[in-house]
Amino acid sequence: RMTKKILLDICKQQKLYWTPYLNDTLYLHYKGFDRLENLEEYTGLKCLWLQCNGLRKIENLEAQTELRSLYLQLNLIEKIENLEPLQKLDSLNISNNYIRTIENLSCLKVLQTLQIAHNKLQTVEDIQHLQECPSISVLDLSHNNLSDPSIVAILETMPNLHVLNLMGNEVIKKISNYRKTLTVRLKQLTYLDDRPVFPKDRACAEAWAVGGLEAEKAEREKWETRERKKIQDSIDALAAIRQRAKEQKRQNCTEGVATDTQEDPPGQETAPDKAVLPEREEYAEIEQFRLETLETLSLDELPDLEDVVVSDLPPEEEIFVQKQDYRPKIEIISEVTNGSNFTLEENNNSMLENSGEEVPTTIFSNVHQNHKEHEKEHLRPLLKSFFTEPDNSERYLEIKDKEVAPLKPLIQEVITEPKDHLLLSPVCHQPDDPSSWEEDGKITV
């Protein structure tokens, strides 16, 4: 039985609302119910599924005034009745029952879909009530026992009939030119049985009704010619679009080549083409970058810190230099010496003569001018590889290991201080006398 407790349990199982009137859909199919009852609290239902039960009668639906769809197929119903409260019913499915007559549907003013297949309909009188249901647009009468061709007159009075299914009835065999006849007589039909009714089919059917097969053949050829022309026009339009695109592309290429090869008159500048301008600017930047990176520098061209004149500096830098008591001097000390006191003294004397003043210094190694030039020759390929291949660090290391490793130069800062304050370098604890710098043929550091 369809009790209130069973209905509540079904709502819990299907995760519906426990409050009956909040549910707009209720699934009661495949439950074995033989009677409709206890649905008074479910006033908000819009869709009710009752198929595949043992229902024998349509009843107790007075509270379902909001119902839109009612599914009663595969039951034991023998009569259509008690549907007056369902004024908003749009779709009714009562297929696979035992209904012998279509009746009591005129009260459903908005009914659009009626599925009554696999029932016991036989005569014209059994479907005559459809004349009182002008709102029906989808009608399924398949697999009944309809055999009288006069049923077409009943269907012809339905002004909104768009979809009709009569498959499985004997009447199909008794209506000559069945599909053409129904297409001509049912003016609003767009779908018949298992396939649609296209405008071309309707035009050919109407031509056949007027002039027979010849008129139908002529009308069909006219439609086919029109369709072929439409397809050909589409193909031609596509070909024209492609041709225009090719011509435009060829024209752009020609203009680009002409712009690149054109020479500017002397004293005038030609405005570059808008399409070629970004590309030419990009190439100009690349070319400028290559010229800058390929430029080589010589060691002789590097400025010497001693050549900087204080008067040539900006005011800020001049103030900074005046605050300093001395200027740093860089001297290369090499381990390659011949150990003679004569060479060491000669280098020290030449340095003092060039400076023009007596300067106390730390211990200097014996460095020959020829050796300095030799070191410059070794440094030139390093500088060249540094500017030409800045990212090739491995090659730089190889050249450095092969050519400079045997020389092992040392860098030491020479401090120049005023005459009155003669100080020794913190590294040297010897007096200023050069004769005392050497002891037993060795330089003391």
Side-chain angles (χ1 to χ4, degrees), residues 65-69 85-91 108 110-111:
T65 56
E66 300 293 328
L67 199 62
R68 305 293 198 276
S69 300
L86 311 179
Q87 290 299 312
K88 296 183 179 180
L89 191 65
D90 176 82
S91 177
L108 306 177
V110 296
L111 183 64

Side-chain angles (χ1 to χ4, degrees), residues 82 199 250 328:
N82 301 322
R250 190 182 300 110

Side-chain angles (χ1 to χ4, degrees), residues 310-324:
V310 178
S311 60
D312 297 337
L313 296 175
E316 295 80 358
E317 297 184 5
E318 184 176 357
I319 295 172
F320 176 74
V321 172
Q322 289 177 358
K323 291 181 180 180
Q324 295 183 354

Side-chain angles (χ1 to χ4, degrees), residues 102-349:
I102 297 176
E103 56 185 344
N104 300 321
L105 293 177
S106 59
C107 60
L108 306 177
K109 301 301 181 181
V110 296
L111 183 64
Q112 295 186 3
T113 301
L114 176 61
Q115 295 173 270
I116 193 170
H118 293 277
N119 276 279
K120 305 298 181 181
L121 304 177
Q122 296 180 357
T123 63
V124 177
E125 289 77 13
D126 294 340
I127 66 169
Q128 191 172 3
H129 182 69
L130 293 174
Q131 294 177 340
E132 303 177 12
C133 303
S135 61
I136 294 178
S137 61
V138 179
L139 179 60
D140 185 6
L141 296 172
S142 62
H143 301 284
N144 278 278
N145 298 323
L146 299 172
S147 58
D148 191 351
S150 59
I151 64 171
V152 179
I154 304 297
L155 300 174
E156 194 174 2
T157 60
M158 302 178 67
N160 295 317
L161 187 60
H162 295 280
V163 179
L164 175 64
N165 192 350
L166 290 175
M167 297 176 64
N169 289 282
E170 293 292 330
V171 69
I172 293 178
K173 299 177 182 179
K174 295 182 179 181
I175 299 175
S176 60
N177 297 306
Y178 162 74
R179 191 170 184 85
K180 295 178 184 177
T181 301
L182 290 183
T183 302
V184 171
R185 297 182 66 177
L186 304 179
K187 302 299 183 181
Q188 303 296 326
L189 200 62
T190 58
Y191 208 99
L192 179 60
D193 294 341
D194 57 348
R195 65 180 187 270
V197 178
F198 295 104
K200 176 183 176 181
D201 299 333
R202 179 169 294 281
C204 294
E206 292 176 354
W208 167 81
V210 174
L213 294 176
E214 295 296 331
E216 179 187 359
K217 184 178 179 181
E219 186 68 22
R220 193 176 299 277
E221 289 179 357
K222 186 188 298 183
W223 275 81
E224 290 177 355
T225 303
R226 192 180 306 166
E227 291 175 356
R228 285 195 297 268
K229 185 178 183 302
K230 186 177 180 181
I231 295 173
Q232 188 62 37
D233 291 343
S234 301
I235 295 174
D236 294 342
L238 180 60
I241 293 173
R242 291 182 176 178
Q243 185 65 26
R244 286 197 298 269
K246 289 181 180 179
E247 292 178 358
Q248 185 67 27
K249 185 177 181 180
R250 190 182 300 110
Q251 183 179 1
N252 293 338
C253 294
T254 305
E255 292 178 357
V257 172
T259 305
D260 293 339
T261 56
Q262 184 179 3
E263 296 182 358
D264 296 338
Q268 296 181 0
E269 294 183 357
T270 303
D273 190 3
K274 294 182 179 180
V276 186
L277 182 59
E279 185 177 359
R280 296 183 64 180
E281 290 180 355
E282 182 179 359
Y283 285 132
E285 292 177 1
I286 295 175
E287 184 177 0
Q288 182 180 3
F289 177 75
R290 289 178 178 174
L291 290 175
E292 290 177 358
T293 54
L294 291 177
E295 184 180 358
T296 58
L297 297 177
S298 176
L299 185 62
D300 297 334
E301 298 176 1
L302 295 178
D304 193 355
L305 295 177
E306 295 181 351
D307 297 335
V308 178
V309 181
V310 178
S311 60
D312 297 337
L313 296 175
E316 295 80 358
E317 297 184 5
E318 184 176 357
I319 295 172
F320 176 74
V321 172
Q322 289 177 358
K323 291 181 180 180
Q324 295 183 354
D325 296 335
Y326 62 93
R327 291 179 294 172
K329 182 178 179 181
I330 305 301
E331 186 71 24
I332 300 176
I333 301 175
S334 175
E335 293 179 355
V336 182
T337 59
N338 54 3
S340 61
N341 295 333
F342 174 78
T343 307
L344 179 60
E345 293 176 359
E346 183 180 359
N347 289 336
N348 291 333
N349 294 331

